[in-house]
Amino acid sequence: MDPQCFNAKAEMVPETTAAAGFIASLLRTRGFLTELQLQKFSKSLQEALADHYKQHWFPDRPQKGSGYRCIRINHEMDPLIGKSASRIGLSSQQLFHLLPKELTLWIDPFEVSYRIGEDGSTCVLYETEVPAASASSSNASAYNPMLMCKQQFLMGRRSPPKNYLMTVSS
């Protein structure tokens, strides 16, 4: 195994865990799946995300690869979610019934955020400080927040405060 890929997978554990846990929590709200199925789904999705992103994870430039790491449900099921769901016996049709019709999930180094619906607010699931070494080693001229996928959708919106609880219903 390439040591650089292993390091990238190890570095993204908090982000992939937050993303997989969020999708599992959306599935949990319907009460259709057992806890064992949800755990298996979450673990499978976390592994799929880490494997899929291993060549597209750049902690020194978190905005690089943001579009590649964007999970989307919008008339089509995201293939990573679909594959993990099939491992617990869920079909795409069942997934569409259990998950929001439109969901965007951004999984970036140091931040995971989501939006439900095209006009929904963007909410942060996971956020941590950028380590000083990553911040100082990045090329300041290469960083342009206006190019980030999330920034295009935010358009002046703010995420809810940290103590804000958002519920999801269909």
Side-chain angles (χ1 to χ4, degrees):
M1 175 182 272
D2 181 2
Q4 188 175 11
C5 291
F6 178 76
N7 288 340
K9 280 182 165 182
E11 287 178 356
M12 68 178 85
V13 167
E15 291 88 346
T16 58
T17 300
F22 175 68
I23 300 295
S25 72
L26 292 175
L27 293 172
R28 180 180 286 113
T29 61
R30 296 299 189 110
F32 182 74
L33 301 170
T34 67
E35 273 307 307
L36 186 60
Q37 286 176 303
L38 290 166
Q39 289 171 5
K40 186 176 178 181
F41 169 83
S42 186
K43 184 174 191 267
S44 174
L45 182 57
Q46 185 179 347
E47 290 170 359
L49 292 170
D51 190 52
H52 191 66
Y53 298 162
K54 67 185 173 193
Q55 297 294 326
H56 299 272
W57 195 257
F58 308 99
D60 58 332
R61 293 178 290 168
Q63 76 281 0
K64 182 178 179 183
S66 183
Y68 184 84
R69 295 185 308 269
C70 184
I71 288 185
R72 190 92 167 99
I73 299 172
N74 185 7
H75 309 294
E76 289 186 30
M77 184 55 58
D78 182 88
L80 296 175
I81 294 174
K83 184 177 178 181
S84 295
S86 71
R87 291 188 176 159
I88 61 167
L90 279 180
S91 69
S92 287
Q93 214 164 21
Q94 289 171 310
L95 268 179
F96 277 118
H97 180 70
L98 295 170
L99 293 173
K101 302 273 184 258
E102 293 185 6
L103 172 69
T104 307
L105 183 63
W106 295 278
I107 304 166
D108 295 323
F110 315 113
E111 183 178 303
V112 178
S113 54
Y114 72 96
R115 183 186 68 215
I116 296 176
E118 284 298 316
D119 299 319
S121 297
T122 301
C123 301
V124 176
L125 288 171
Y126 170 83
E127 185 176 36
T128 190
E129 293 293 319
V130 177
S134 291
S136 64
S137 67
S138 66
N139 181 351
S141 64
Y143 178 73
N144 181 350
M146 294 309 291
L147 297 178
M148 292 177 62
C149 177
K150 288 180 292 205
Q151 293 297 331
Q152 292 176 7
F153 290 111
L154 289 174
M155 298 292 215
R157 296 182 194 154
R158 293 188 183 278
S159 295
K162 298 287 185 215
N163 60 355
Y164 180 81
L165 176 64
M166 180 175 227
T167 58
V168 178
S169 64
S170 60

